[in-house]
Amino acid sequence: MFSPLKYIDVILPLPLKGTFSYASEQEELEVGQRVVVQFGVRKLYTAIIKRVHDEKPTDYEAKPLLAILDEAPVVNAIQLQFWEWIAKYYMCNLGDVMQAALPSSLKLASESQVIIHPDFDGDIDDLKAEEEMLITALSNQEQMSVAAISKLINTSSVFSFINEVIRKEIVQIKEDLHDKYKMKVLKVARFIASDELLANTKLTHKQMAFVEAYKQLNISKIWSVADLLKETGFSRAIFNALVKKEIFTIEEEGISRLLKSSQEIIEDKQLADFQEKALSEIKTAFTKKEVCLLHGVTSSGKTELYIKLIEQQLKQGKQVLYLLPEIALTTQIIKRLQKHFGNKVGITHSHLNNGERVEVWKAVQETDSQKVKYPIMLGARSSLFLPFNNLGLIIVDEEHDSSFKQHQPAPRYHARDAAIYLAHLHKAKVLLGSATPCVESYYNAKVGKYALVEMHTRFADIALPKISTIDIRKAHLKKEMKQQFAPQLLNAIKDTLSIGKQVILFQNRRGYSPVLSCGTCAYTPNCNSCDVSLTYHKWNYHLKCHYCGYTEQVPEVCPSCTAKDFSDKGFGTEQIEESLKELLPDYVTKRMDYDTTRGKNAHQNIITDFEQGRIDILVGTQMVTKGLDFDNVALVGILNADSMLHFPDFRAYERAFQLMMQVAGRAGRKGEQGQVLIQTYDEEHEMFALLKANNFGTFIKNQVEERRLFSYPPYNRLIGITLKHKKQRKLDEAAQQLVVMMKKSFGTRVLGPEYPAIARIRNYYHKNVLLKIEQEGSVAEAKKILNTIIERMQNHSDFKSIRFIMDVDPV
């Protein structure tokens, strides 16, 4: 029977505006399903159905839908609403959001091949001549590209032809993915012989011995082939012979790549009085507000409150999303949550492979007896895009952290702000937690937009660490410095280690040295593609650009003057590690930075070794500052505080204060009061007085007042526009033209154009323009005007090659 033609609007994983319409006679079309469509001349893509309707496009002929990939939708209606909001709010395309949201194994990456359908019975009597020709060709070469079929059949409408043979279930599209998802399989041995078969089958002595050895094992257990051979001690050849004689069979079973907890579930800790009070206040706040900010000093036990709130949501049959800024933090938190919730906790982050990501995606979607397989999901910012259908609570831990902001590529979303909108769609609550909340969040709480709950006491009444500064200017003048260490810091490290305690040292720069220069002519090796000096990495004797990844060998002689007089300036974590091994050879020093944590379980291994006392001194970048909980750390050293303070950014003081307060919070979390020593050239800086007094309130008050004077958040909203081009003159012209057009609408709210501190990256010059919009102004209207201006410029022949990058609420 003839099916009426339907039309679908689809989202393609491409940086293109809007959706695209396709035609189909299929009945079983649902919003959120993946479909294969043709886009362009010969390109095939996986698209997501956004709308099914009967409205025929008026300005073009809709191409036919080629195939449906899913029986059920992989993306739900709330996710699609969320995608739309992300695209609109952060001024990007729906395709950008789809690209970020879906695991790559759920996206078809063109170069698609056609194969014979596995259910095709081989009956060619009713086939057309072209269809017969295709089947013959596929019988000889298994698969063919669309272009090859077009030449074979000699038709201009090859996609219509392929669509027809797909509909008849003669062929199907092979998803030729770069990272195609495959279920992980385990080869299982099954004993299938009856007593009668055993008696009537001639077995060798060794084969009979194998059968007897198997019967002595726990035969109710499912044995993998590998484990069975290991346990019985027999060779693979003997087992294969028994398979041929049908005594055993080998079956493949799909197994999950996902995390399983083997920990015993423990009872909840008894909350302290101040924690009980805070928990009660949060519950009350959620009856009035959608968002609550929990400001608790380091080691006040915020995680225990999270656990109580998660329990409450699980009792109501709800899902919980627990967001963390860095995967380094997931190691400890996952253990703590698993102790309470066992295998109800799922985890996702950037170190998972594509197979694992697809399994996490499906696990969040799956239901088992009306209960979601993973009611608790723990993850970094991208976990916002998982297919939740019943969220009750989103916890954003360390909410101040800049790692929640996506910088490259689009969508440039902020996970904290996006989480608040996602919770709104699910009618869920959001708990923001931090010892050092960001200025905007704290301001929103103080003016009543969010609820505010504070804990000023550490758990078990442990004193906050004692913070002291060391004037390294004086130490340098007196020539007392031993490599990177002032005598006070080095003595404190020795004293701490001598009593069996551990030390964390923080230096916010990786590598051995940020600059290598010639002592004779001052030549400094720079990156060929970026306006930045190359960082020296001593472990592999390489110079590396930390912006584009370019590397080169350290030159034997200076290319400028041929002198052999290279020396390093400044220091990174690698140099500190080397110095400590030289100064304190009896103790184990390890570093935790980007270079040492690239392996899949590298974070976990370093943290576990430190927790279990196998490392005495941990040297690290920002990774060591964030939420890690170590019982035995008595001393924290900050080696160069000034590099964080003197940075050309209105958030520099806020970031420096947060980093130093957070890393200080790693000291003295159990037992005696911890100690924090900060090396600086500027002891009199006002920030250090506030840090020593743990006076977060005054610091925020000062910051808010400064921001008000200079029209920065929270009083104004910001939209950053970065222009990129390989030719500097062309970029200057475009940037000037953009500012002229913007000032006609926005006047003095426009700042720039200005070159950033590093003006050229990967051979592209950059220029920045900043738009400030008052809180009472319409941000949506400003975005509309801005879009119109940029579209006009992109349509201008002189500026077509300029790239415009929009960054809403830059961090």
Side-chain angles (χ1 to χ4, degrees), residues 7 296 334 353 388 418 584 595 617 722 781:
Y7 295 94
I334 197 77
N353 62 40
F388 299 106
L584 301 166
D595 298 315
I617 308 169
T722 299
E781 191 59 36

Side-chain angles (χ1 to χ4, degrees), residues 459-725:
F459 189 76
D461 287 327
I462 295 163
L464 286 161
K466 185 187 176 193
I467 300 175
S468 309
T469 50
I470 299 169
D471 189 342
I472 50 174
R473 184 171 48 86
K474 288 178 186 172
H476 275 290
L477 287 170
K478 292 178 183 178
K479 296 190 168 33
E480 292 175 340
M481 293 292 288
K482 285 196 177 175
Q483 309 205 42
Q484 302 85 22
F485 304 95
Q488 298 100 304
L489 179 56
L490 196 56
N491 291 335
I493 292 170
K494 289 174 182 174
D495 293 344
T496 303
L497 296 174
S498 68
I499 59 170
K501 295 287 187 181
Q502 290 168 297
V503 177
I504 289 178
L505 296 176
F506 170 60
Q507 168 63 3
N508 207 19
R509 191 180 285 277
R510 65 187 171 99
Y512 189 84
S513 169
V515 178
L516 203 67
S517 68
C518 174
T520 305
C521 71
Y523 167 81
T524 300
N526 287 318
C527 178
N528 294 331
S529 307
C530 311
D531 288 343
V532 66
S533 60
L534 297 173
T535 300
Y536 174 40
H537 288 257
K538 191 174 182 180
W539 69 275
N540 61 357
Y541 206 58
H542 270 78
L543 296 168
K544 183 169 185 178
C545 174
H546 286 176
Y547 286 85
C548 71
Y550 167 79
T551 58
E552 63 178 50
Q553 288 282 123
V554 175
E556 293 289 326
V557 297
C558 174
S560 178
C561 70
T562 68
K564 292 186 178 181
D565 191 18
F566 275 113
S567 61
D568 52 80
K569 305 278 192 294
F571 57 91
T573 50
E574 193 185 329
Q575 190 173 153
I576 296 161
E577 182 188 27
E578 181 183 274
S579 299
L580 287 165
K581 284 177 178 175
E582 187 183 311
L583 294 166
L584 301 166
D586 297 333
Y587 296 97
V588 178
T589 302
K590 285 279 174 72
R591 62 190 163 97
M592 187 161 103
D593 56 26
Y594 180 77
D595 298 315
T596 62
T597 55
R598 289 184 187 180
K600 186 167 182 178
N601 297 312
H603 282 103
Q604 191 166 339
N605 295 339
I606 293 170
I607 289 167
T608 302
D609 285 349
F610 194 62
E611 277 178 324
Q612 295 178 359
R614 291 192 285 271
I615 298 170
D616 301 302
I617 308 169
L618 184 63
V619 180
T621 54
Q622 289 187 39
M623 290 179 184
V624 301
T625 70
K626 300 172 182 179
L628 294 169
D629 188 6
F630 300 117
D631 293 355
N632 200 35
V633 175
L635 173 67
V636 166
I638 298 171
L639 294 170
N640 186 6
D642 305 307
S643 63
M644 293 181 276
L645 291 172
H646 307 306
F647 202 76
D649 181 0
F650 76 94
R651 296 186 201 272
Y653 280 11
E654 179 189 1
R655 285 209 188 101
F657 189 90
Q658 286 167 342
L659 270 173
M660 287 191 269
M661 183 73 85
Q662 287 285 341
V663 76
R666 302 315 109 209
R669 295 175 74 90
K670 300 284 188 296
E672 295 175 17
Q673 183 182 26
Q675 185 183 12
V676 180
L677 295 176
I678 302 172
Q679 294 191 158
T680 173
Y681 286 95
D682 186 9
E683 254 194 318
E684 302 305 312
H685 197 289
E686 60 175 344
M687 183 180 289
F688 296 125
L690 295 172
L691 270 170
K692 289 173 186 177
N694 192 39
N695 195 342
F696 181 75
T698 301
F699 174 77
I700 285 282
K701 190 178 173 186
N702 294 347
Q703 283 295 297
V704 167
E705 184 54 30
E706 274 186 29
R707 306 266 186 99
R708 187 183 66 78
L709 288 172
F710 295 100
S711 303
Y712 279 107
Y715 295 98
N716 287 57
R717 304 284 287 280
L718 303 180
I719 299 175
I721 306 107
T722 299
L723 293 84
K724 286 173 64 173
H725 200 272

Side-chain angles (χ1 to χ4, degrees), residues 8-12 14 16-22 39 47-51 53 60 80 83-84 93-95:
I8 56 168
D9 295 342
V10 302
I11 306 166
L12 287 163
L14 300 169
L16 300 166
K17 282 192 180 297
T19 56
F20 300 86
S21 296
Y22 288 84
F39 188 79
I48 295 285
I49 300 178
K50 186 171 179 288
R51 190 165 80 99
H53 56 91
Y60 61 91
L80 288 173
W83 289 11
E84 275 198 272
N93 303 302
L94 263 175

Side-chain angles (χ1 to χ4, degrees), residues 347-393:
I347 181 169
T348 178
H349 51 65
S350 60
H351 279 203
L352 295 185
N353 62 40
N354 280 314
E356 288 166 329
R357 287 182 196 184
V358 174
E359 287 197 29
V360 167
W361 186 278
K362 290 182 175 177
V364 174
Q365 266 186 328
E366 276 175 17
T367 56
D368 179 21
S369 304
Q370 305 306 311
K371 289 185 180 176
V372 179
K373 188 172 180 180
Y374 280 152
I376 307 162
M377 274 309 304
L378 178 76
R381 60 177 181 258
S382 60
S383 53
L384 281 170
F385 294 113
L386 288 168
F388 299 106
N389 50 48
N390 191 24
L391 263 181
L393 175 68

